[in-house]
Amino acid sequence: SLNAFEYGSRKTNKLKQIRNIGIDIDCYKVGLPVPKAREKIIDLVHKGVIKVLYAFESAIALLYFWSLNKGLKAALLVSMAGLKIKVLESFLESSERLTDVFLCVDNDEAGKAFVKDVQAKINAKALFPPTCKDWNEYLQIKKAMGQFY
């Protein structure tokens, strides 16, 4: 999934989504037909409003990360539905205005190998969950420590 918020907003009703740059948008909430909603999100990237892309192995990992980082602004969160460089490549081909790409994959051998492969092809930074295997485990630790509500 590709997920974007309207600039300056972190309200759930301002969330817009696209799956694999195909379509998975809650058009009923945003009041737009599917092609128009997709167009608006891509336009935000092209105008430079959205500058940072965060890529995840799964939609659920994306949601855990977002839960921990609700202060993100002007960011696009992408679920690759696995470790799929093609998802990133196809998106980045038409998105020259992105300033940063973060690979927020699991902190395991497969995730580390994926980061190495991607970094050999594109300028991307690894963003692993600190001291944990995945973003869910990190969220659970934060909850247990009383640092997440």
Side-chain angles (χ1 to χ4, degrees), residues 1 55-64 78-83 104 106:
S1 292
F56 300 85
E57 281 187 55
S58 66
I60 195 69
L62 180 156
L63 291 172
Y64 292 138
V78 178
S79 169
M80 299 176 290
L83 297 170
C104 307
D106 289 354

Side-chain angles (χ1 to χ4, degrees), residues 5-76:
F5 289 92
E6 289 180 9
Y7 181 74
S9 174
R10 292 294 297 168
K11 295 181 180 174
T12 306
N13 66 347
K14 301 291 184 183
L15 177 67
K16 306 198 180 349
Q17 299 177 320
I18 300 175
R19 173 153 298 165
N20 296 335
I21 312 175
I23 304 292
D24 182 16
I25 301 169
D26 190 344
C27 296
Y28 302 106
K29 280 189 180 176
V30 297
L32 294 171
V34 171
K36 284 286 184 201
R38 179 183 188 278
E39 212 174 275
K40 277 188 162 271
I41 294 170
I42 299 301
D43 192 44
L44 290 172
V45 174
H46 289 292
K47 286 181 179 175
V49 173
I50 295 174
K51 297 181 184 294
V52 182
L53 181 138
Y54 295 84
F56 300 85
E57 281 187 55
S58 66
I60 195 69
L62 180 156
L63 291 172
Y64 292 138
F65 179 86
W66 176 78
S67 295
L68 291 159
N69 297 280
K70 291 185 179 179
L72 288 176
K73 294 194 178 181
L76 187 64

Side-chain angles (χ1 to χ4, degrees), residues 90-147:
S90 65
F91 181 75
L92 293 171
E93 284 173 6
S94 61
S95 306
E96 301 96 23
R97 292 191 175 245
L98 291 170
T99 57
D100 291 300
V101 175
F102 292 97
L103 304 172
C104 307
V105 297
D106 289 354
N107 192 5
D108 58 14
E109 291 305 313
K112 290 174 185 173
F114 178 75
V115 166
K116 187 177 178 182
D117 291 346
V118 170
Q119 288 176 329
K121 296 179 180 184
I122 64 171
N123 185 19
K125 299 170 187 127
L127 185 55
F128 294 115
T131 68
C132 306
K133 179 194 175 284
D134 59 32
W135 293 104
N136 176 40
E137 187 178 326
Y138 187 59
L139 177 63
Q140 298 312 315
I141 289 169
K142 289 291 202 181
K143 281 183 179 179
M145 296 170 62
Q147 296 177 352

